[in-house]
């Protein structure tokens, strides 16, 4: 049985969700008290979550001024994607080599579900999260999973910010191709497909001012 999430973990997940969906708008300034009120948890777990998000570059603590929700900046996103690309190649390779039969079946099911997402951005985002969790389980490299997690959060927040110009069909096709190749144990093909996913994001990031 999975261990129940701590209050700090629940606070982190709630704030991360609001950051990704831009409910906490990039460039805005908020207070610790406002965040406590938004998610309805105590000061200590919220403070721990803020420290963790600050460490991940999603919130900036400004003494006597408040908390700055990190803006989405072209140069930052390109650096994030550069690092994420290498980590995802490692995770994809390990997942393709190590996944159990039932995990490969689940990956194939996710690829089929993606094919029905069409213009449903929220469904795509949830399937993307599910894919990441499963690939981390398949890869079984805790250090890679911990390192890539905040970079994925930055990427999802970026997707949300540019959802109006994101060609969802292209994103779905790129993700589906990668997932199917992992399920077939083709790690070289899956790594190339992973590179294509990152390249799609890099093209979007390059268009930022």
């Amino acid at each position: 049985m999975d261990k129940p999430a701590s209050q700090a973990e629940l606070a982190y997940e709630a704030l991360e969700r609001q950051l990704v969906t831009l409910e906490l708008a990039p460039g805005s300034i908020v207070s610790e008290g406002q965040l406590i009120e938004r998610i309805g948890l105590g000061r200590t777990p919220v403070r721990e979550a803020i420290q963790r998000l600050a460490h991940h570059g999603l919130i900036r603590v400004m003494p006597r001024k408040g908390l700055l929700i990190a803006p989405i900046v072209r140069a930052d996103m390109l650096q994030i994607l550069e690092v994420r690309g290498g980590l995802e190649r490692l995770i994809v390779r390990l997942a393709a080599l190590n996944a159990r039969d039932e995990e490969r079946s689940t990956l194939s099911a996710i690829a089929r579900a993606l094919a029905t997402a069409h213009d449903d951005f929220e469904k795509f985002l949830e399937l993307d999260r599910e894919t990441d969790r499963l690939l981390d389980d398949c890869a079984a490299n805790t250090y890679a999973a911990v390192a890539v997690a905040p970079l994925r959060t930055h990427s999802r927040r970026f997707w949300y910010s540019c959802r109006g110009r994101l060609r969802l069909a292209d994103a779905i096709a790129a993700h589906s191709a990668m997932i199917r190749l992992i399920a077939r144990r083709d790690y070289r093909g899956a790594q190339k497909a992973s590179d294509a996913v990152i390249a799609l994001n890099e093209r979007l990031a390059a268009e930022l001012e």
Side-chain angles (χ1 to χ4, degrees), residues 13 16-18 20-21 110 122-136 152-153 156-157 159-160:
E13 290 173 359
E16 182 195 40
R17 189 178 309 111
Q18 293 193 20
V20 166
T21 59
I110 292 172
E122 297 294 340
K123 182 177 180 180
F124 165 73
L125 206 64
E126 183 51 42
L127 289 169
D128 180 68
R129 284 181 179 275
E130 186 179 346
T131 301
D132 286 343
R133 288 192 291 264
L134 181 55
L135 292 185
D136 288 344
R152 288 170 173 167
T153 298
R156 290 193 183 95
R157 190 172 76 124
W159 291 344
Y160 240 95

Side-chain angles (χ1 to χ4, degrees), residues 37-88:
E37 185 176 347
R38 289 179 77 103
I39 64 173
L41 292 171
R43 183 174 300 277
T44 298
V46 169
R47 187 166 288 173
E48 289 181 26
I50 289 169
Q51 291 172 348
R52 187 173 164 193
L53 289 163
H55 180 68
H56 292 164
L58 290 154
I59 287 178
R60 298 175 191 167
V61 179
M62 302 187 301
R64 297 181 297 281
K65 292 183 179 180
L67 305 168
L68 173 67
I69 306 304
I72 298 173
V73 179
R74 177 179 180 272
D76 291 345
M77 277 310 307
L78 290 173
Q79 289 186 14
I80 286 165
L81 291 167
E82 183 177 30
V83 177
R84 185 185 169 197
L87 289 169
E88 294 288 8

Side-chain angles (χ1 to χ4, degrees), residues 4-208:
S6 68
Q7 290 288 293
E9 187 64 30
L10 291 173
Y12 179 87
E13 290 173 359
L15 291 176
E16 182 195 40
R17 189 178 309 111
Q18 293 193 20
L19 286 163
V20 166
T21 59
L22 310 183
E23 293 173 64
L24 288 167
S28 64
I29 296 177
V30 297
S31 68
E32 182 182 281
Q34 286 173 317
L35 296 186
I36 290 169
E37 185 176 347
R38 289 179 77 103
I39 64 173
L41 292 171
R43 183 174 300 277
T44 298
V46 169
R47 187 166 288 173
E48 289 181 26
I50 289 169
Q51 291 172 348
R52 187 173 164 193
L53 289 163
H55 180 68
H56 292 164
L58 290 154
I59 287 178
R60 298 175 191 167
V61 179
M62 302 187 301
R64 297 181 297 281
K65 292 183 179 180
L67 305 168
L68 173 67
I69 306 304
I72 298 173
V73 179
R74 177 179 180 272
D76 291 345
M77 277 310 307
L78 290 173
Q79 289 186 14
I80 286 165
L81 291 167
E82 183 177 30
V83 177
R84 185 185 169 197
L87 289 169
E88 294 288 8
R89 283 179 63 86
L90 170 63
I91 290 168
V92 161
R93 177 180 179 276
L94 292 173
L97 292 173
N98 299 335
R100 301 186 300 271
D101 289 344
E102 61 270 24
E103 290 171 329
R104 295 181 195 281
S105 296
T106 303
L107 285 167
S108 296
I110 292 172
R112 291 193 296 272
L114 274 170
T116 67
H118 302 303
D119 295 325
D120 190 338
F121 182 80
E122 297 294 340
K123 182 177 180 180
F124 165 73
L125 206 64
E126 183 51 42
L127 289 169
D128 180 68
R129 284 181 179 275
E130 186 179 346
T131 301
D132 286 343
R133 288 192 291 264
L134 181 55
L135 292 185
D136 288 344
D137 287 344
C138 295
N141 186 314
T142 302
Y143 295 98
V146 168
V148 80
L151 306 179
R152 288 170 173 167
T153 298
H154 278 283
S155 294
R156 290 193 183 95
R157 190 172 76 124
F158 170 60
W159 291 344
Y160 240 95
S161 74
C162 62
R163 60 189 298 184
R165 57 190 179 88
L166 172 66
R167 286 176 53 86
L168 193 56
D170 291 345
I172 287 172
H175 282 77
S176 296
M178 180 187 73
I179 294 166
R180 289 192 176 97
L181 288 162
I182 294 169
R184 295 204 296 263
R185 304 179 190 271
D186 182 354
Y187 74 86
R188 290 188 178 88
Q191 286 182 316
K192 290 180 181 178
S194 176
D195 290 343
V197 171
I198 296 297
L200 187 154
N201 285 275
E202 287 174 335
R203 287 194 294 272
L204 283 171
E207 294 172 5
L208 291 172

